[in-house]
Amino acid sequence: MKTRTPLFLLFTLFSIVAGTLHLSAQYKQTTVNRTTLVRDQGNILPLQRLDRLKIAVVTPVKGTYTPFIEQLQKYAEVRVFDFNKYAENTKYFNTIIVAGIEKDLRSDLISLLQQSAVNGKQVILCQFRESKSLGNPWNTPTYQSAFTELVSPDFAPISQRNAAMSIFGGLALTEGNLKTEQTRIQYTAGENSGLDISTMTRKIDAIANEAISNRATPGLVVMALKSGQVIFEKAYGSHTYENKQATTIDDIFDLASISKIAGTTPVVMTLQEQGIISLDSTIGHYLGQAKTTNKADITTRSVLLHEAGFTPFIPFYRNLKSGDLLSYEDTEHQVKVADNAFLKNNYYRDVMWPEMLSSAVKPVGNYVYSDISMYVMKEIAEHETSTRMEEFVQQFLYKPIGMKTAGYNPRTRFDKSRIVPTQNDTSFRKVLLQGYVHDEGAAMAGGVAGHAGLFATANDLAIYAQLLLNRGEYGGVRYFKPETVDLFTSNQSQSSRRGLGFDRADPDLKKAYPSKLANSSVYGHTGYTGTCIWIDPKDQLVYIFLSNRVHPQVTGKLYELNIRSRIQDVIYETINEAK
């Protein structure tokens, strides 16, 4: 195993001294939360590992607790029931959240919840007061020890939302004797943040509408967080220029190269900190197929920095032979690359991967952005974990922190209508792409590649970004060591601005990348489909922009009009004006 050179150690030390490594999260709660935690059976609040929870929400009256339920759904998958057939409906859930006002929480319901507690289920009762005195059957000694109980001063929508956020740690509980801390994103639309949200919104609206009217993209979603608080979240336009379906904040987008930092890189990060992968070990060390190639002695560090000398891009789809791609599925063509488009089985294994291994390599050390880099890192990760990357990242990260939509091949998990279409592919797949990855190589690899293939909502990306701002911790659980996040997201190259996997703000201020107001702590990535995510530890800011600018055909207008950067400029200007 190779050792790091003294020069690199000096460079890393300089980065730390210069302050380019990241500050810890600085949650700032500006919302007054009147929810009170009366008792916390088992010390379960805020809820933590969401992958271990199966949550049922039970309300005495259907359709009455919509703000409460919608807020819960921002954090986790929940199923909603009333008390009809309570035992049968909640049998397979281990966490029961009950919401009600005094008159709805009848005494005959107590035994049902008591039985759930006897069965080892976590029961969380949220009471919304209609009067100053509670005086209801839930406050008897018999049942006080069985439930975790929250009390809200009224039934208003804001109180319902605050109670829901309190359960997951989106809001700290500060009233009464039992207190908690904020551990997750809070959805309070910049309330009491000191920011001029209305002016910022008008400016962003104008830029977004300019993009749509100039056909830079048919629709987009913008999201921004400051100090753990969502200060902006809005959807614009439609899925297509036919305006048949409006874009919503819950839509799922093809993230393109954001997959590099939100899919492959976190897998590499956790393997590196566990000592499974070393940044100074070589491709040949991990991949037997590479031992006799020109890539055998290239380190994974060089690969992650895009300094391995790889070919930037190989258009695999142009080399397809007659019979490789069919419009129907048969026993030899089961790799679905789009609707009515099926690739020959094992095409990636037998054709694409060998071609990558045998491709030319230029001298190591110079920055050349290459998709092959993340194909390689995916292969290394899968060989070391013996697990498909899409499964591994779901289990160790996405599900535990509440990224509900993030993943590959979304058509296997979500209704087509939730997924924003991308290009009308006229050269390869001959169909409108909706829920199938836009990148041809990733599609031919079965929809899962190191450089592309990930789909998600803006909210999922916001959760991941806040985890990074927290330097590896989210929801009260640590997923990465702080030094791991610092290492990968800080500048690690002497020839480019790049981190390990992550892109960073350009030090040449004239380039204004990603924003003319971005500082040297900013890291993130852009995506070819018209996406970006930028994380700013210094200002505790997250900026997310999702669009389908490649619909119906690829256009450069999003770049020409500088839409993404200008919206980010507006957010920075708003923050700076409030300082």
Side-chain angles (χ1 to χ4, degrees), residues 212 215 217-219 237-247 420-424 432 434 548 551-553:
I212 295 167
R215 296 180 73 88
T217 180
S238 302
H239 281 198
T240 68
Y241 289 111
E242 286 74 28
N243 299 322
K244 293 181 179 179
Q245 182 175 347
T247 305
V420 177
T422 53
Q423 188 175 6
N424 184 13
L432 174 65
Q434 189 167 7
N548 56 333
H551 179 83
Q553 297 296 327

Side-chain angles (χ1 to χ4, degrees), residues 204-376:
I204 294 176
D205 287 352
I207 299 171
N209 292 329
E210 177 187 346
I212 295 167
S213 63
N214 282 277
R215 296 180 73 88
T217 180
L220 58 113
V221 171
V222 178
M223 191 171 184
L225 293 80
K226 178 75 170 73
S227 302
Q229 180 185 28
V230 176
I231 60 172
F232 192 87
E233 186 181 21
K234 192 170 182 179
Y236 300 88
S238 302
H239 281 198
T240 68
Y241 289 111
E242 286 74 28
N243 299 322
K244 293 181 179 179
Q245 182 175 347
T247 305
T248 74
I249 59 174
D250 295 320
D251 282 337
I252 300 168
F253 285 79
D254 181 340
L255 302 181
S257 283
I258 289 178
S259 305
K260 292 179 172 74
I261 67 161
T264 308
T265 300
V267 173
V268 175
M269 289 167 66
T270 195
L271 297 181
Q272 184 271 340
E273 73 173 25
Q274 293 174 21
I276 296 172
I277 289 178
S278 168
L279 299 177
D280 295 310
S281 290
T282 63
I283 298 174
H285 174 73
Y286 295 111
L287 301 176
Q289 296 166 296
K291 289 185 185 298
T292 58
T293 72
N294 54 9
K295 299 171 181 62
D297 297 326
I298 297 173
T299 66
T300 59
R301 186 188 306 277
S302 296
V303 175
L304 289 164
L305 291 172
H306 295 277
E307 294 177 2
F310 293 155
T311 300
F313 170 72
I314 300 176
F316 296 105
Y317 71 100
R318 295 178 185 171
N319 301 324
L320 288 170
K321 298 176 182 178
S322 176
D324 286 341
L325 187 70
L326 300 180
S327 61
Y328 56 88
E329 183 179 16
D330 64 17
T331 56
E332 295 183 356
H333 297 78
Q334 296 182 334
V335 180
K336 194 172 185 181
V337 295
D339 290 316
N340 304 315
F342 298 87
L343 183 66
K344 188 176 181 179
N345 297 347
N346 299 317
Y347 192 89
Y348 170 80
R349 183 196 68 187
D350 297 340
V351 179
M352 294 171 61
W353 181 234
E355 185 175 347
M356 282 185 266
L357 286 174
S358 63
S359 62
V361 171
K362 293 181 179 180
V364 173
N366 295 318
Y367 173 71
V368 179
Y369 184 76
S370 172
D371 287 342
I372 294 177
S373 63
M374 289 302 187
Y375 278 109
V376 168

Side-chain angles (χ1 to χ4, degrees), residues 2 69 75 92 120 157 177 218 234-235 252 307 333 366 403 455 501 532:
K2 296 181 179 180
I69 293 167
Y75 295 103
Y92 299 114
N177 295 324
K234 192 170 182 179
I252 300 168
E307 294 177 2
H333 297 78
N366 295 318
M403 293 173 69
F455 287 72
C532 72

Side-chain angles (χ1 to χ4, degrees), residues 5 98 142 146 167 182 190 216 269 281 291 304 363 367 395 448 452-453 469 482-483 515 542 547 550:
T5 64
V98 181
T142 305
I167 291 172
Q182 182 181 347
M269 289 167 66
S281 290
K291 289 185 185 298
L304 289 164
Y367 173 71
Q395 296 304 318
V448 186
L469 265 187
E483 54 267 30
S515 161
V542 173
S547 77
V550 296

Side-chain angles (χ1 to χ4, degrees), residues 471-482:
R471 297 175 71 216
E473 185 175 3
Y474 191 76
V477 178
R478 179 157 295 284
Y479 297 92
F480 299 107
K481 298 175 183 177

